[in-house]
Amino acid sequence: MVSGTFVEVAAPARNREAGTAGTAPASRESGWSRIRRLAPPYLYLVPAVVLLVVWTYQPLAQTFVLSTYSWNLVPSTPMVDVGLGNYERLLGTPELGRAVWRTVVVILGMLPFTVVIPVAVALLTRRVRGRAQGVYRALVFAPMLVAPVAGAAVWQWLLDPSAGAVNRVLGTDVNWLNTASTAQWSIIVITGWHVVGFAVLVVTAGLAGINPDYAAAAQVDGASRSQVTRWVTLPLLSPTLAFLALMTVLLSAQWTFPLIDTLTQGGPVSSTTNLYYLLWEYGFRSHDAGLAAAAGVLFFLGFIVVAALLTRLAARLSHHDD
Amino acid sequence: MKRTLLAACAATLLLATSACGLGSESTGSEGPVSRVPELKPDQKVSIVFESYNFGQAGAWTDTFNELIAAFEKQHPNISVTAQKPQGNSANPATDTISSLQSQLTAGSPPDVVQLGFSDLDFTVNQLKALPLDDLVGKDAVQANFDGEQYPYAESARTLGDWNGKTYGVPFVFSTPMLYYNKQLFTQAGLDPENPPATWAEVRDAAKTIQQRTGKGGAYVDCLTKAAKDWCFQALVRSNGGRVLSEDRSTLTFAEEPSVEVVRVMQDMVKAGAMPNRTQMQAVESFARGDLGMILESSAIQGTFLKGAGDRWELGAAAMPSFDGKQAVPTNSGAALFVFSKDAAKQRAAWELIRFLTSERAYTTIATKIGYLPLRTGLVDDPDGLKQWAGENPYLEPNLKQLEHLEPWVSMPGANYLQIRDGMMQAVENAVYQGADPAESLRSVQEEATGLMQGGGK
């Protein structure tokens, strides 16, 4: 749902307030000059706020409104006010609970690809010197540049049950994408392959931000390389890792969407239908705008809670190099 | 203080703007559709034709581009923009409704749209396709069915009707055909000139093929959600059941005849006679020569013939029956509907429909794609399709099945897709994932009945 990123903007410093405080007491100031004094920072903000309202908050408010209506997205059909009916219906379907569980599985399955592998790769490529380092990083990052749908087509051939390379290498005859027990894992691995390069990039940037003096100091004290990694590098990397974990939790289900849409369409038998795909099916396959909006609102609130918990957790667990 | 004021302003702004732009709350009552005048000789019109055939490269797109070019030549004042439905499904035919819906929401629907028969109820009652009987007159519509020389097959004429009025002109469709690989039949020691005629025989032949050649046995392309339900309905009808009662008020797909159909198919999967494949995988693997038999629409025949090339020979037979019962084929495919708002465009749209369903167009469509020539007389016309029909052994079983043809029934109400998808998902779950057929169909039917009775929207 929420794909934009929020940038925290520091409150504008009130220099003028401080500068004029001595000459004109606030109590005697006329209304107009008061406005003129206070307006500029808000005026600077207006363009950004207007865009934010138009593109983010207004649709959000519309979603809230829509979630109390029953409407099939056809302009000539009337919208019927059903109050909380959509929410009742949504919470009454067993499909929702299953989709939540599948989303959790996706998130857990994605964590190795967004945290564990990137850390290993970034630490290893750091030891490679010279041009080879760039080559390695480029190789790892390359899948990110492949369009998801194009990547999906290639994977489809690789996973083909009768002619696919995967089955030939493993000597199996599994229909990976059309078997309820393997489809979800196939999607996770393909999504992981796709985003691992991005995660490596983030970790590499995190490593570059760590002052090498710490490691040098530890080595002077006789710490081995693995000890330096364990007790110096990783703790200092923890804010980066927390960021990646947060991204994974909030965005995994969205990353899988194009792959699910091209490879399995939520199937077989809903085994790859996670929250986002379910929402999309309600809205744009069943044309049940109200139900989809209600689902959107619930996910929005749910993810706010999850995001708040994670940020708090991250703040507590992370070491900062202050 | 200032902060709260700002927040209040923002909130008011949100509320003020959020209500608008979502859709009308009034009933979209439309006046009766009035007769559209003929186009004046110098009147230039441009229309948009949306068809899923443009989403499939190769024979489909080429054939349709050829037809549109011929139409523009015949009607120099009408220019046609052809487009495929918006969306990126592997099968563009599944994007038709959502694409049309978003264009209707935006206020500029395409003028002529090719929509599946499975969407008929929704197309007429929710999307408000224009009744052709009112638009150009019942006489004109019937005259088009009668044609210049060869009339439509009797069973095909009314497929796009709703409550006695014609809304859509049936355009391209097929009946379910059993395509088989003659080479695999020979390799497995089966008689390639004597294809199975019942499902029991299909099962035995499939098992033999699987065991002796190591290739897949048989695949029925209407047991998954993605494949939709057209030939599943044919299977159920062939076994004496229906998925929906005749008065369209009750769902009946969990009754014994349907359950038995699902069980027969499930047994084939369990016995290794039917491989677990998605629709696309099955079509590709049959075209490659890795599958013995496939129950499929003749729309894919071109793909099969191309895949076969010189390497193997394609055979075709009628849809198999259940022991001792008459097989009842249903039609796949789509009809052409008009959605234009402007009178001139409506008239131009009708001209396009007339052209696309003419003798000449069917000659092209049948030879290049493999869809049935709905003007069946064409196959006896030496200037028409006679020669082609003689060279094409795949046509005869398909044409013959028109005699017993029953319509592919669309599911009722605004939630029809949820009902159809739910049903097919239950079938898929039982056939390929081993769920109990009776139980999975029953639970879905219960849920879907709730949707039908206004429990939903």
Side-chain angles (χ1 to χ4, degrees):
Chain A
M1 275 293 295
V2 185
S3 55
T5 43
F6 296 93
V7 179
E8 245 180 80
V9 180
R14 300 198 170 153
N15 291 337
R16 289 186 60 181
E17 205 168 6
T20 52
T23 53
S27 54
R28 261 191 275 150
E29 201 179 20
S30 73
W32 176 238
S33 66
R34 198 178 133 88
I35 288 171
R36 275 194 13 175
R37 182 170 57 80
L38 293 174
Y42 293 110
L43 285 178
Y44 283 122
L45 278 177
V46 161
V49 170
V50 166
L51 288 179
L52 206 58
V53 166
V54 168
W55 297 112
T56 304
Y57 296 122
Q58 190 197 338
L60 199 62
Q62 277 184 336
T63 308
F64 274 96
V65 174
L66 198 56
S67 71
T68 63
Y69 282 92
S70 170
W71 185 43
N72 65 1
L73 289 169
V74 180
S76 58
T77 322
M79 293 168 68
V80 182
D81 193 345
V82 291
L84 293 176
N86 286 327
Y87 291 94
E88 279 166 29
R89 202 148 63 87
L90 188 66
L91 295 173
T93 55
E95 198 48 40
L96 182 72
R98 285 184 224 139
V100 170
W101 172 239
R102 286 184 207 115
T103 313
V104 172
V105 172
V106 168
I107 291 168
L108 292 178
M110 286 299 294
L111 281 173
F113 292 98
T114 53
V115 178
V116 182
I117 297 177
V119 170
V121 171
L123 287 174
L124 290 175
T125 50
R126 205 163 55 144
R127 294 194 198 165
V128 183
R129 292 287 159 213
R131 210 173 262 182
Q133 188 182 38
V135 173
Y136 277 118
R137 283 184 186 157
L139 283 178
V140 175
F141 190 69
M144 192 71 200
L145 301 174
V146 178
V149 177
V154 174
W155 278 99
Q156 197 160 23
W157 292 325
L158 291 174
L159 293 172
D160 188 273
S162 48
V166 173
N167 270 342
R168 253 184 290 162
V169 169
L170 297 177
T172 49
D173 62 343
V174 181
N175 194 348
W176 298 94
L177 292 170
N178 202 33
T179 306
S181 52
T182 55
Q184 177 80 287
W185 292 105
S186 309
I187 294 286
I188 290 172
V189 170
I190 299 171
T191 316
W193 165 82
H194 195 244
V195 298
V196 77
F198 172 71
V200 169
L201 200 71
V202 173
V203 174
T204 312
L207 285 177
I210 295 174
N211 191 336
D213 293 350
Y214 295 119
Q219 265 167 344
V220 169
D221 287 345
S224 69
R225 193 180 251 179
S226 64
Q227 279 173 322
V228 170
T229 306
R230 170 65 190 88
W231 299 108
V232 178
T233 314
L234 282 184
L236 288 173
L237 199 59
S238 58
T240 308
L241 299 184
F243 165 75
L244 280 174
L246 184 71
M247 293 271 287
T248 310
V249 171
L250 296 181
L251 299 177
S252 281
Q254 289 188 44
W255 289 333
T256 57
F257 185 90
L259 294 166
I260 293 173
D261 196 35
T262 9
L263 292 174
T264 65
Q265 291 84 44
V269 205
S270 300
S271 60
T272 53
T273 304
N274 62 36
L275 281 177
Y276 288 100
Y277 203 78
L278 186 73
L279 192 157
W280 181 82
E281 280 207 324
Y282 283 152
F284 300 105
R285 242 191 97 69
S286 314
H287 311 301
D288 199 340
L291 193 65
V297 168
L298 281 190
F299 302 164
F300 175 68
L301 298 176
F303 277 112
I304 284 186
V305 173
V306 173
L309 284 178
L310 281 174
T311 359
R312 190 169 292 182
L313 203 67
R316 192 169 299 169
L317 295 181
S318 301
H319 292 256
H320 286 277
D321 177 18
D322 300 321
Chain B
M1 169 64 197
K2 264 164 271 150
R3 206 169 277 185
T4 35
L5 196 72
L6 196 72
C9 282
T12 338
L13 186 70
L14 278 184
L15 283 179
T17 48
S18 62
C20 59
L22 276 179
S24 68
E25 291 194 32
S26 63
T27 29
S29 61
E30 287 146 37
V33 178
S34 52
R35 191 73 66 88
V36 288
E38 296 278 349
L39 292 177
K40 287 179 221 97
D42 58 343
Q43 194 173 0
K44 292 224 184 287
V45 189
S46 62
I47 54 173
V48 175
F49 171 40
E50 180 161 306
S51 159
Y52 55 82
N53 290 326
F54 293 109
Q56 283 149 321
W60 293 55
T61 308
D62 297 346
T63 309
F64 275 76
N65 283 338
E66 183 186 325
L67 285 172
I68 299 288
F71 172 76
E72 285 183 326
K73 211 168 170 194
Q74 200 178 14
H75 299 263
N77 287 334
I78 305 178
S79 72
V80 180
T81 310
Q83 65 184 35
K84 73 181 194 75
Q86 304 162 358
N88 60 353
S89 299
N91 180 359
T94 55
D95 289 331
T96 50
I97 289 289
S98 55
S99 162
L100 175 60
Q101 218 164 357
S102 50
Q103 290 174 84
L104 278 167
T105 312
S108 57
D111 300 284
V112 179
V113 189
Q114 182 179 342
L115 294 171
F117 292 105
S118 183
D119 308 315
L120 184 64
D121 186 336
F122 192 75
T123 304
V124 171
N125 295 313
Q126 307 284 332
L127 300 179
K128 312 278 182 200
L130 298 174
L132 298 174
D133 283 2
D134 298 348
L135 211 59
V136 296
K138 205 173 181 70
D139 304 343
V141 174
Q142 291 307 319
N144 180 49
F145 281 138
D146 291 337
E148 286 166 17
Q149 211 177 346
Y150 301 107
Y152 261 54
E154 211 46 52
S155 52
R157 289 173 82 124
T158 53
L159 291 174
D161 287 12
W162 191 261
N163 286 340
K165 253 187 201 177
T166 302
Y167 284 81
V169 180
F171 180 40
V172 284
F173 70 73
S174 167
T175 61
M177 299 269 290
L178 184 73
Y179 288 100
Y180 62 100
N181 183 326
K182 288 192 178 176
Q183 196 190 16
L184 283 182
F185 265 59
T186 315
Q187 278 174 18
L190 299 163
D191 179 5
E193 300 313 318
N194 192 12
T198 66
W199 286 109
E201 289 172 26
V202 169
R203 183 196 147 111
D204 293 342
K207 254 170 112 173
T208 314
I209 292 173
Q210 204 274 326
Q211 282 162 0
R212 299 214 181 132
T213 67
K215 308 273 183 172
Y219 186 83
V220 177
D221 189 17
C222 49
L223 303 172
T224 56
K225 184 170 134 186
K228 302 190 192 170
D229 61 342
W230 73 284
C231 66
F232 179 69
Q233 287 193 9
L235 294 174
V236 173
R237 290 294 296 123
S238 302
N239 199 28
R242 286 178 184 281
V243 295
L244 177 68
S245 68
E246 276 185 276
D247 62 359
R248 304 182 57 78
S249 68
T250 328
L251 294 170
T252 54
F253 61 76
E255 286 175 11
E256 196 41 40
S258 323
V259 174
E260 206 182 298
V261 167
V262 174
R263 199 170 289 132
V264 168
M265 297 299 153
Q266 187 189 43
D267 285 348
M268 291 224 279
V269 174
K270 280 186 182 161
M274 176 150 45
N276 171 9
R277 294 285 181 273
T278 64
Q279 179 177 40
M280 251 172 70
Q281 288 172 340
V283 167
E284 280 168 14
S285 107
F286 185 79
R288 259 200 319 265
D290 286 342
L291 188 62
M293 291 169 267
I294 186 167
L295 188 77
E296 187 52 271
S297 150
S298 63
I300 320 285
Q301 188 174 297
T303 311
F304 292 162
L305 282 169
K306 205 168 148 197
D310 299 330
R311 292 179 298 132
W312 55 275
E313 197 188 338
L314 181 70
M319 182 172 88
S321 62
F322 289 94
D323 281 325
K325 292 174 187 146
Q326 167 70 46
V328 182
T330 50
N331 61 286
S332 66
L336 298 173
F337 296 88
V338 176
F339 284 91
S340 327
K341 293 178 175 161
D342 173 75
K345 288 183 186 233
Q346 288 169 348
R347 174 56 69 177
W350 171 245
E351 293 299 336
L352 179 64
I353 290 180
R354 269 186 40 187
F355 178 85
L356 289 175
T357 56
S358 66
E359 277 85 350
R360 171 179 177 182
Y362 274 120
T363 311
T364 313
I365 290 170
T367 45
K368 303 237 163 111
I369 297 181
Y371 267 133
L372 274 176
L374 298 187
R375 301 186 185 279
T376 43
L378 278 170
V379 294
D380 300 320
D381 182 349
D383 295 331
L385 293 169
K386 191 172 170 122
Q387 194 199 346
W388 173 75
E391 292 163 3
N392 181 348
Y394 315 111
L395 182 66
E396 197 210 328
N398 208 347
L399 271 182
K400 241 183 164 169
Q401 292 198 104
L402 278 180
E403 290 165 26
H404 300 286
L405 183 77
E406 291 205 9
W408 177 17
V409 180
S410 59
M411 288 296 183
N415 292 315
Y416 79 109
L417 270 180
Q418 270 153 297
I419 299 173
R420 187 186 77 196
D421 288 351
M423 173 176 83
M424 291 316 291
Q425 186 148 315
V427 172
E428 185 176 345
N429 198 3
V431 174
Y432 293 112
Q433 314 293 338
D436 177 57
E439 174 49 32
S440 56
L441 284 172
R442 193 196 52 76
S443 69
V444 169
Q445 178 168 307
E446 237 165 59
E447 231 172 272
T449 305
L451 286 174
M452 236 172 93
Q453 287 156 353
K457 284 179 276 190

